[in-house]
Amino acid sequence: MSNSWTNDSVTISSIPKNGAPNFNGPVLWPSTDNQTFFAFGGELSNWARTITGPDVSCWQFTIDGNGGGSWAIFQPGVQSTFRDLNRPAVANGAILDNTGFIFRGAASSRSAPQNRQVRDGDYTPIPGIVSFNITSSLWQNDTVPQQIEDLNAPQGMLAATDAFGTDGLLMLSGLASDVYNPPPFNNITIYDPSDKTWHAQTATGQIPAARSEPCTVGVKGDNGTYEIFMYGGGNIDGLDGNITLTQYQEFLTLDEVYVLSLPAFRWFKADYPAQYPRFRHSCNVVGNRQMLSIGGQDPTNIYNNTFTADPFLQGLGIFDLTTMQWSDQYNAEAEPYETPAVVKAWYAANGMSPATWNSPAVQRLFEDTTSTGDTDTSASQRSGSNHTGAIAGGVAGAIATLLLLAGFLVWWLRRRKSTATDNALKSSAVPQHSYEYHDQSTRPEKYPIEMHEDNRPWEMDGTDAATELGGAHRTELSAGTGSPPARAEIDSRQRSPPQTGVIGSD
């Protein structure tokens, strides 16, 4: 991506998969050095000759520096833990630093041999949240509170931010226990991997309507903000046969880009006319400030057993994250990302926090000065590591601490002479209260969340890493679905096994 290109001139080459399964909807996790990515999950296409998925495995793709690369099975660090996992046919995935996550998901007969008993076309929920540490090669599968488990969350928005919390946070929205009645995106569920706790925060602003299988990307903004962009989506579960005119008009309006800005938890909508709705597509941040949308399907045509042409040439759409406008050109020399003007204006008028925090625990996550966030405006979902800066910062911090302690000692010795002041100091001690409930059974009330379940993203939200033609949710070039309609991995109209695609330019 070092050269600029337009979507009518860029070349796309294929790379043989050499034994790697041809799946719809794998979750892709890029490494921090952008030299490799890992694929886990997914299922065989409805057009495959067999309906039983292969043994559960994780595959790694490594780039060769010449526009290509190769696939190989990646051996997990703890075999026993990995062998206990089921391969999700559909799932939400994201990555924080060098740890990939899958939240719940659902298995099908086409995803793994142990799911043969699942009727073809049906999906069985998979409990828990799976994590994979790329550095240590270790896998974990943690349980989640029942209120979260009930969300049936193969579909919906899952995004990662490293700008807040000790080890970053996962943000989920658009999920619900009732697949046929998904809510809008006004409630955000938050997972803190540092202590494995769950939280909820209400969002405000231009709330996105309920939708299924959008794609998302995240970027660090100005002055400590973080923006999560969500594009497109459909809502087809529960429909039977051709859609009505009302449903067509509803789907048409889903051709939208929204941005959720943190820490305000405020939604904003890009201002452009809705014309070409897409879902089951993938999105990735490319270059300094652009989002690349790849493939997808038209939700208004899904039940006609036909596939309309992609509105973008070669299935490639470019969206400028700063100006919030579509383009047909990737600009390798674009200016660094800046928070959109409409978002900046809102912060200038209203401050950095939402009007109301749902709990003191959530407030601490986003206002704590020990957050990993910074003002780096690089269009990336992760911040780079600079050990020299960390060491220098640690030394400076230690010196400052010693000076503060010395000053406090002098002050205390002087104040000790005054008994009255000493008593005042004792009486001013602030009691500490705990707002965390790690064990759900001890929580006095139910988590204040409603989430929606009608969005099974298929190749999760990506980064500017080497990816299999994206890595978020779009597909004609990589598909996924939680319902019987056919999907395809590279092109929804191809019946031959697809290959890994790599975008390049002359």
Side-chain angles (χ1 to χ4, degrees), residues 29 85 99-102 129-133 138-142:
W29 294 313
L85 297 179
T99 300
F101 294 89
I102 286 182
I129 182 168
V130 172
S131 61
F132 164 53
N133 186 284
L138 298 181
W139 293 75
Q140 294 184 24
N141 188 8
D142 295 308

Side-chain angles (χ1 to χ4, degrees), residues 19 28 56 61 97-98 144 150 183 187 191 210 212 238 275-276 296 309-310 330 412 417 429 436 438 478 482 492 506:
L28 304 181
V56 176
F61 181 83
D97 192 21
N98 235 25
V144 302
D150 289 344
N187 289 323
Y191 178 64
S212 172
Q275 303 179 66
Y276 307 109
D310 197 291
Y330 164 69
W412 182 78
K417 296 179 181 180
E436 292 300 315
H438 296 259
S478 146
S492 296
D506 296 330

Side-chain angles (χ1 to χ4, degrees), residues 6 55 60 75 94 109 158 207 232 247 328 351 377 382 404 435 447 496 501:
T6 60
D55 291 338
Q60 179 181 12
Q75 298 298 332
S109 62
L158 172 63
I207 306 295
Q247 291 167 335
D328 60 0
T377 57
R382 56 174 127 258
L404 286 173
Y435 297 93
Y447 283 93
S496 58

Side-chain angles (χ1 to χ4, degrees), residues 194-235:
S194 68
D195 57 8
K196 300 181 181 180
T197 56
W198 295 84
H199 311 270
Q201 176 61 38
T202 302
T204 58
Q206 296 172 291
I207 306 295
R211 64 195 64 215
S212 172
E213 297 169 271
C215 68
T216 59
V217 299
V219 290
K220 285 184 179 179
D222 302 296
N223 302 320
T225 67
Y226 192 91
E227 277 78 60
I228 298 172
F229 290 82
M230 181 176 72
Y231 168 48
N235 195 356

Side-chain angles (χ1 to χ4, degrees), residues 373-386:
D374 53 44
T375 57
D376 178 14
T377 57
S378 172
S380 170
Q381 272 196 271
R382 56 174 127 258
S383 56
S385 58
N386 186 328

Side-chain angles (χ1 to χ4, degrees), residues 6 64 90 186 246 269 279 308 415 448:
T6 60
D64 59 14
V90 293
N186 59 316
T246 300
K269 182 177 177 293
F279 77 140
T308 57
R415 298 291 284 178

Side-chain angles (χ1 to χ4, degrees), residues 360-403:
V362 175
Q363 184 175 2
R364 286 195 298 269
L365 284 175
F366 289 88
E367 292 187 348
D368 194 338
T369 56
T370 62
S371 167
T372 58
D374 53 44
T375 57
D376 178 14
T377 57
S378 172
S380 170
Q381 272 196 271
R382 56 174 127 258
S383 56
S385 58
N386 186 328
H387 299 292
T388 301
I391 294 171
V395 172
I399 293 173
T401 301
L402 290 174
L403 292 174

